[in-house]
Amino acid sequence: SALYFMFYEKFKNMAQQHLQVKDDIPFPYIVLCACSAGGLASFLTSPLDMAKLRMQIQRGGGTTTTNYTGIVDCLSDTYRKGGVKALFRGAGARVLHFAPATTLMMTSYEKCRLFYSEYI
């Protein structure tokens, strides 16, 4: 979440500079900023999510060939066995899930914020 909000604000500031506006940006730019931020944040955090999932499977008694002692152990073992490609395995599916979700969340927030700012 922290990465997502950081990227969203950065992309929004870039859009404001590009459009030369100080306040709110048009709706299509909000959608683009939110989708880009969600996609980038979910891609970058994909290795951590993969490690968390593997450790959850291990803890739940799933059939795994490796017993990990922690996240760092899981990440280093995955890298050793498959390189960077193995760390980002499944990242595309994660991006396809989170980019639309974060886009809906942030565009809804921005539109509600604009709507209710007139009444408060």
Side-chain angles (χ1 to χ4, degrees):
S1 290
L3 281 178
Y4 168 71
F5 286 111
M6 180 186 71
F7 289 139
Y8 177 72
E9 287 299 321
K10 182 64 177 170
F11 292 155
K12 195 168 132 181
N13 287 339
M14 289 169 57
Q16 287 171 328
Q17 289 175 357
H18 175 72
L19 296 171
Q20 298 177 350
V21 296
K22 291 185 179 185
D23 292 328
D24 299 316
I25 58 176
F27 182 75
Y29 286 90
I30 293 172
V31 170
L32 181 63
C33 291
C35 186
S36 301
L40 183 58
S42 63
F43 178 78
L44 291 177
T45 57
S46 193
L48 295 173
D49 191 58
M50 177 271 309
K52 177 194 70 150
L53 179 63
R54 288 186 180 186
M55 293 190 67
Q56 286 174 332
I57 291 170
Q58 174 184 303
R59 183 173 183 208
T63 56
T64 61
T65 57
T66 309
N67 286 324
Y68 302 112
T69 59
I71 295 235
V72 174
D73 180 44
C74 183
L75 289 171
S76 62
D77 184 63
T78 303
Y79 178 76
R80 212 174 16 260
K81 290 179 179 174
V84 174
K85 188 175 181 179
L87 290 173
F88 287 93
R89 188 175 196 176
R94 192 171 190 302
V95 169
L96 287 175
H97 170 76
F98 280 103
T102 55
T103 301
L104 285 171
M105 176 188 68
M106 200 46 93
T107 52
S108 298
Y109 166 76
E110 290 285 351
K111 284 306 194 182
C112 287
R113 184 182 61 81
L114 289 172
F115 178 78
Y116 289 115
S117 68
E118 296 175 11
Y119 298 104
I120 295 177

